[in-house]
Amino acid sequence: QVQVAESGGGLVQPGGSMRLSCKVSEATRDGYAMGWFRQAPGKEREGVSCISRTGDSTYYADSVKGRFTISRDGAENTVNLQMNSLKPEDTAMYYCAASLYDYCSGNKKFYEYHYWGQGTQVTVSS
């Protein structure tokens, strides 16, 4: 069974940077599109970013565009989310997910992702 595991979260000051990593086990020949979601207390789950199987297409939410960068390393079955210029409103639990549907857009919903990690907490505060 495919397993997803996030790492790299923690406490960071406003304006700082942090890199999240997501490792996927039992990778298939074709692989998966990979997405990052986040959820803050009292708010709905938000799609942050997505990258296609080959990395040819990506998606970023308007709230993180220009600050976050998603990338993948197929050889290591790893997807990264580089987060720069962090703001307090970026504070949330961040989830990595794998999807068999190979597309990335703002219309791709959380239920279109088949495998999920348990999340890693990101706290932006001074």
Side-chain angles (χ1 to χ4, degrees):
Q1 184 178 15
V2 175
Q3 293 182 310
V4 180
E6 308 95 335
S7 63
L11 177 64
V12 63
Q13 292 184 328
S17 297
M18 180 175 287
R19 188 182 73 173
L20 305 182
S21 294
C22 174
K23 292 188 178 295
V24 183
S25 67
E26 300 184 19
T28 66
R29 176 174 176 267
D30 293 330
Y32 305 90
M34 301 296 299
W36 286 95
F37 288 78
R38 66 185 182 185
Q39 188 167 27
K43 293 189 175 182
E44 295 182 346
R45 184 170 297 184
E46 174 189 19
V48 175
S49 186
C50 177
I51 187 167
S52 63
R53 292 178 178 180
T54 63
D56 291 335
S57 64
T58 57
Y59 159 80
Y60 297 95
D62 289 340
S63 58
V64 306
K65 194 173 299 181
R67 299 187 298 120
F68 290 11
T69 302
I70 191 170
S71 62
R72 69 184 306 150
D73 183 345
E76 298 181 358
N77 297 325
T78 300
V79 177
N80 300 310
L81 185 68
Q82 178 65 46
M83 306 184 295
N84 299 326
S85 302
L86 284 163
K87 306 174 181 179
E89 50 263 44
D90 294 319
T91 296
M93 184 72 75
Y94 282 72
Y95 299 91
C96 180
S99 175
L100 294 173
Y101 308 140
D102 191 24
Y103 79 97
C104 290
S105 77
N107 292 325
K108 190 167 185 175
K109 308 301 181 183
F110 71 90
Y111 51 80
E112 297 183 75
Y113 291 83
H114 298 80
Y115 306 101
W116 288 80
Q118 292 187 327
T120 184
Q121 178 67 40
V122 173
T123 302
V124 185
S125 177
S126 59

